[in-house]
Amino acid sequence: MLVFAFDRDWTVDVNPHPQYEAVPLEWVRYLAHKTDHAVYAIGNQDLAEEAAIPGVVDIVGRHPADWDDWLGDKQPDGRYESFPTRRERLTLIEALHPAADRYIVVDDLDLSDVEGWQHYHAWEFVPAVRDGHLDLAPPLTDDQVSDDDLATDGGLPTVAGIKPADADHLASFLDGYDDTPGFEITYEQDGDDVTRLCWDVTVVEDTAESEAPIVRCSSLIPKGESFTVPIGAIDVVHVVKLSPEAVTAQAETQPDAAAALRRLADAAPNQLQLSPVLTLLDQKALPPQQQRDALHALAALTTVRPDACSPAIPILRSLLQEDDPVAPHDALTTLHAIAEASPEDIAPALDDIEPYLDSERTPVQREAAGCLAGIATEYPADCIDAVPKLVDFLEEDDERRRYAVRALAKVAAESPETTASTAGHLAEIALEESASNEVRQLATAALGRTLRAPAAFTTEIFEDVVELYDTDNYKLRNNAIALTYEVADLHTDIVEEYIDDIAALLTDDDSQTRINASGTLARVAEDFPASVSHLTPMFVELLSDDNEQVRENACWALGRLEASEAKATLEERLQEEPSEAVRNRIAWALSEIDPV
């Protein structure tokens, strides 16, 4: 004899998991009432009534001496004072059947740790039974299709199938697959069996077309054609895994094939392949709508597999070179996604992309700017000619500004003189509270690199940056002090005025902020030791900081200050410090304090 414990929700098909196969309720009833096995409901207790099997109260009732321990008194709301946990329920069941051959629990929760019980998820249990690994021989139920039917008439792999008993039965099944991209429905029409592939299948109870419930279907081919089928005429409905080959095989015309690929891309981009899309785009004199559909499908594919789409670049470049391209937005969206994954692949297309920064359409400008931002991560020098247009975008919406400042930050790292004219704009964006945090952070990063150019630096701009030391956004705060670190390399006299403001960041929770603050003060200490010497006790404390770079910066500061009061602590740390780099810097600091 076997003992079964079934959960209900996301386990039995009265409330199936939205993505996985569930145990038919008829199987539970069959095992409970047509075999010698023992079957219990251990989760949602509605299953006890639905399958006419004992539930938790019945299980505890068979341990009468322990009733008060497990349940206690029944409350006015119908609940009991206490209730055994899922694992405790299994222990109670096992005690009722000590001589059972096996104990099997089927539950969406992982109960594999319960000693003596073999755990299955529903989507593991059903195949195990169907394939004979569990020899239970349950009957084929109304809502199941046989093994022979698991391959659809169209040859498509299936996720699930149903032979509906009535409208409610079918509607309940379809509710579990409301995000499914494809169905195959087989029904009787004029004495013949008809099988059609559909994007959508919906049960309609009340219509002017029929007094009886019907199913309204949206067919794959022709595009969007809607038809209805009486519930009683339906033989089987399969949830199918679509493929480009399957959806285009039913297309009688090129426009239908393009439309089918577009709809597949919208519904299930992971199931789309590049080759059929490129085959369409490579057609000579492709009608505009079909070109739009194919480009839309390609853009959708890049959202899930951008690295697989590089072979499309030559075709996209050709399209962008046309005088009046059909769908530049989708073409640029594709190139943008590729740029984020593989900037080296689209860098050669820069000359074809850059003109679209001047497009009259904002989405096209945005995607072109995104392409440049991607290219600039690896090839900033290639983007220098686009700087004037990127500067124009600093006055636009956050999306265009985001890509513009990303690109400018990379260009500035390569050639700060090129972006010198943007310093004022970048400072304004950094302080603009209405801008997104990401844009403000990118702006401070770009500004820090730009200020390396002598022509870019002004005291007024730096004073603006100092205001960000107190911001609640730690990333923005860190970017501001990182910028100060760069300024201190050239203008320690200006940074000197803000020593105490910077010192307040030495105890910041963010380690990167402490690194930049301590590094900045170490630089100022070299030129203005008298202005920094009062911070010596803080630098001594930093010798024990969790961050290695902070400890090293503290050594730089103490050495430059020739802080004799730190000598004893430095000597102690020299023996305890785990980092070789920090030990070397401690030794240097000691040599500065007490030259031999």
Side-chain angles (χ1 to χ4, degrees):
M1 182 191 76
L2 305 181
V3 175
F4 292 92
F6 285 97
D7 181 30
R8 178 184 186 272
D9 299 327
W10 285 22
T11 297
V12 179
D13 64 0
V14 288
N15 188 16
H17 190 288
Q19 300 295 331
Y20 300 113
E21 198 165 16
V23 179
L25 178 62
E26 288 303 317
W27 283 17
V28 181
R29 291 173 176 165
Y30 168 80
L31 292 171
H33 306 298
K34 301 295 184 181
T35 73
D36 294 330
H37 305 313
V39 182
Y40 296 89
I42 61 163
N44 184 331
Q45 292 300 284
D46 288 348
L47 182 64
E49 181 177 350
E50 292 161 346
I53 57 176
V56 176
V57 174
D58 301 298
I59 295 165
V60 174
R62 297 180 188 183
H63 296 271
D66 300 323
W67 179 277
D68 289 338
D69 294 334
W70 292 116
L71 295 178
D73 294 330
K74 196 170 187 178
Q75 305 301 300
D77 62 1
R79 299 177 181 272
Y80 287 87
E81 287 182 299
S82 59
F83 222 60
T85 66
R86 195 74 58 102
R87 289 168 174 78
E88 289 169 341
R89 297 168 204 176
L90 295 179
T91 301
L92 290 170
I93 292 171
E94 184 177 354
L96 296 175
H97 306 279
D101 296 316
R102 288 173 71 184
Y103 303 92
I104 296 172
V105 55
V106 186
D107 199 317
D108 63 293
L109 297 177
D110 187 356
L111 298 173
S112 57
D113 60 310
V114 181
E115 186 176 353
W117 286 82
Q118 184 174 4
H119 171 260
Y120 289 89
H121 292 107
W123 47 93
E124 299 167 335
F125 180 78
V126 172
V129 173
R130 182 186 294 132
D131 297 341
H133 299 304
L134 281 174
D135 187 14
L136 302 179
L140 196 67
T141 62
D142 288 342
D143 61 336
Q144 276 197 287
V145 292
S146 69
D147 289 346
D148 293 337
D149 288 335
L150 286 175
T152 69
D153 292 344
L156 295 172
T158 71
V159 176
I162 183 172
K163 292 179 177 290
D166 53 37
D168 290 341
H169 191 200
L170 178 57
S172 177
F173 173 81
L174 294 174
D175 283 346
Y177 298 95
D178 56 359
D179 59 349
T180 297
F183 299 89
E184 188 180 83
I185 180 170
T186 300
Y187 58 96
E188 183 180 347
Q189 182 177 8
D190 299 329
D192 296 322
D193 285 339
V194 178
T195 297
R196 298 183 70 170
L197 190 59
C198 302
W199 292 112
D200 183 59
V201 176
T202 304
V203 175
V204 182
E205 296 278 0
D206 300 313
T207 71
E209 303 171 41
S210 172
E211 295 182 0
I214 61 172
V215 170
R216 179 167 287 115
C217 308
S218 178
S219 68
L220 169 63
I221 299 296
K223 178 183 176 183
E225 176 187 319
S226 179
F227 64 96
T228 61
V229 180
I231 291 288
I234 297 173
D235 177 34
V236 63
V237 176
H238 287 104
V239 178
V240 297
K241 295 180 180 179
L242 296 176
S243 68
E245 295 75 18
V247 299
T248 56
Q250 297 193 22
E252 297 180 0
T253 66
Q254 192 178 81
D256 282 347
L261 287 175
R262 176 172 184 150
R263 298 190 72 179
L264 176 60
D266 285 339
N270 273 312
Q271 296 177 30
L272 186 63
Q273 301 298 322
L274 180 63
S275 56
V277 180
L278 292 187
T279 299
L280 269 176
L281 287 173
D282 207 27
Q283 299 293 321
K284 301 298 182 184
L286 189 66
Q289 183 55 53
Q290 283 67 68
Q291 192 176 90
R292 289 190 188 93
D293 286 340
L295 285 170
H296 180 89
L298 182 59
L301 179 59
T302 59
T303 64
V304 292
R305 291 200 303 278
D307 53 339
C309 296
S310 292
I313 293 174
I315 291 178
L316 295 173
R317 292 185 65 181
S318 296
L319 293 173
L320 292 177
Q321 291 166 8
E322 295 177 1
D323 292 336
D324 187 21
V326 169
H329 176 255
D330 283 328
L332 290 166
T333 298
T334 300
L335 290 172
H336 179 189
I338 297 172
E340 296 293 342
S342 307
E344 66 277 6
D345 288 343
I346 75 156
L350 179 60
D351 289 343
D352 302 315
I353 295 167
E354 191 174 336
Y356 289 91
L357 294 172
D358 293 313
S359 171
E360 295 180 356
R361 296 180 57 211
T362 297
V364 173
Q365 287 183 349
R366 183 182 64 240
E367 295 304 325
C371 289
L372 262 72
I375 294 172
T377 60
E378 296 292 337
Y379 306 98
D382 292 354
C383 299
I384 287 176
D385 289 344
V387 166
K389 188 57 191 177
L390 293 172
V391 171
D392 290 342
F393 285 173
L394 297 180
E395 304 291 340
E396 303 296 346
D397 59 90
D398 253 16
E399 279 297 303
R400 281 178 287 179
R401 285 203 293 185
R402 177 162 66 95
Y403 295 131
V405 293
R406 267 185 61 193
L408 290 170
K410 297 298 181 180
V411 173
E414 179 83 8
S415 176
E417 296 80 9
T418 304
T419 59
S421 64
T422 69
H425 288 299
L426 293 171
E428 290 174 3
I429 294 172
L431 294 173
E432 186 182 323
E433 294 186 358
S434 62
S436 69
N437 285 333
E438 181 184 8
V439 168
R440 296 177 71 191
Q441 290 157 22
L442 288 167
T444 52
L447 180 59
R449 295 162 185 172
T450 295
L451 290 182
R452 295 173 185 168
F457 183 81
T458 68
T459 303
E460 291 76 13
I461 288 177
F462 183 68
E463 289 173 349
D464 288 342
V465 172
V466 171
E467 293 183 30
L468 298 174
Y469 292 173
D470 296 327
T471 181
D472 291 335
N473 185 312
Y474 77 93
K475 292 183 179 179
L476 188 57
R477 186 169 64 245
N478 175 59
N479 280 7
I481 192 62
L483 184 154
T484 305
Y485 176 77
E486 297 293 341
V487 171
D489 194 34
L490 300 172
H491 304 282
T492 49
D493 56 328
I494 294 175
V495 177
E496 182 200 11
E497 298 179 31
Y498 300 97
I499 284 176
D500 290 337
D501 297 295
I502 299 168
L505 299 174
L506 291 174
T507 56
D508 196 277
D509 290 338
D510 177 55
S511 61
Q512 195 60 48
T513 299
R514 298 199 305 278
I515 290 171
N516 288 321
S518 57
T520 299
L521 292 171
R523 282 183 169 176
V524 178
E526 185 171 21
D527 293 337
F528 299 95
S531 300
V532 183
S533 61
H534 69 287
L535 298 175
T536 296
M538 295 190 73
F539 291 125
V540 172
E541 288 292 326
L542 291 178
L543 292 174
S544 301
D545 193 273
D546 293 338
N547 186 277
E548 175 182 332
Q549 188 61 57
V550 173
R551 299 196 301 274
E552 189 171 353
N553 286 344
C555 295
W556 276 111
L558 292 169
R560 287 168 176 168
L561 293 173
E562 299 180 9
S564 57
E565 61 266 50
K567 181 179 177 181
T569 305
L570 285 167
E571 288 174 340
E572 290 177 7
R573 290 298 305 173
L574 187 61
Q575 304 303 316
E576 302 171 358
E577 172 59 50
S579 165
E580 181 180 359
V582 178
R583 289 198 302 273
N584 290 339
R585 195 51 50 203
I586 291 174
W588 170 85
L590 287 168
S591 71
E592 293 294 305
I593 293 169
D594 190 11
V596 176

